Amino acid sequence: MTRLIRALGGRTPTPGFSYPEVGATGARPLPAGYHHLHHETLIGHGPDVFAAAGTAVTTWAMHRASGARVRAGSPRAEPGTAVEVSLGAGPLRMSAPCEVVWTAYEEDRTGFAYGTLTGHPESGEESFVVELRADGSVHFTVTAFSLPARWDTRAAGPLVPLLQRAYARHLGRTLRKIATSRGAVRY
């Protein structure tokens, strides 16, 4: 944990990924032997919605608005940025150390993926991507592969993938609110 806290001050890549397929959410197919998650949400339409959604995803605003606590080594997602996401409260707070492994800042696609570091309850990678399609629709996709990395997530068994899917849906709804609100703050 001390190493993560030190790393949060800068963007130097942190060693210690808890899985070998670093960057695999950027390619298909996802690695075998993991639980796979792919969830897509229609966010809205048009370049303004795309810009607002992309900014909210890559500046941690979506995660924060969803109720997660985020500590990041940079104000926006960049490869090598250390990130700690935590959910819950008090003794039930679960912290998840990660590192950004890739980003996309493109004309019609914005997002990033982070990979789990040692100490994360899961082992794997998750990406958060906003896409502006040819018809003007804006979609948000969460793609992940993971396995339990600790006794508590192993003990939770099939409950963990259900919670991951529910959280992906929650992120989609949160992002839709951020990106389509009239007069919404552009993060």
Side-chain angles (χ1 to χ4, degrees):
M1 184 58 89
T2 303
R3 183 179 57 172
L4 174 66
I5 291 169
R6 269 192 238 123
L8 289 172
R11 293 178 15 194
T12 304
T14 305
F17 285 104
S18 62
Y19 65 105
E21 303 89 352
V22 175
T25 54
R28 297 293 181 272
L30 294 175
Y34 292 89
H35 167 74
H36 294 170
L37 169 68
H38 182 85
H39 181 76
E40 185 175 296
T41 303
L42 174 65
I43 299 301
H45 292 82
D48 290 342
V49 169
F50 171 70
T55 299
V57 166
T58 58
T59 61
W60 325 113
M62 174 192 67
H63 281 83
R64 288 184 174 118
S66 76
R69 181 184 294 171
V70 178
R71 293 177 4 139
S74 65
R76 134 183 163 146
E78 295 293 343
T81 299
V83 182
E84 182 182 72
V85 179
S86 55
L87 295 167
L92 298 178
R93 179 169 296 283
M94 184 178 291
S95 294
C98 302
E99 183 177 308
V100 176
V101 296
W102 61 260
T103 58
Y105 291 101
E106 302 166 8
E107 187 176 320
D108 58 357
R109 185 172 171 263
T110 303
F112 73 96
Y114 52 46
T116 61
L117 299 175
T118 302
H120 193 291
E122 291 283 304
S123 178
E125 193 170 290
E126 190 167 24
S127 68
F128 310 91
V129 177
V130 178
E131 182 182 16
L132 177 62
R133 299 200 176 150
D135 67 356
S137 63
V138 178
H139 294 260
F140 170 64
T141 304
V142 177
T143 303
F145 61 92
S146 63
L147 287 173
R150 298 189 326 208
W151 72 269
D152 52 352
T153 49
R154 282 190 292 278
L159 186 59
V160 173
L162 293 174
L163 292 172
Q164 289 171 328
R165 186 164 302 284
Y167 187 61
R169 284 193 304 266
H170 177 62
L171 288 175
R173 288 189 304 269
T174 300
L175 186 58
R176 184 184 302 127
K177 287 177 189 173
I178 291 170
T180 60
S181 296
R182 290 187 186 195
V185 175
R186 299 300 185 228
Y187 298 92

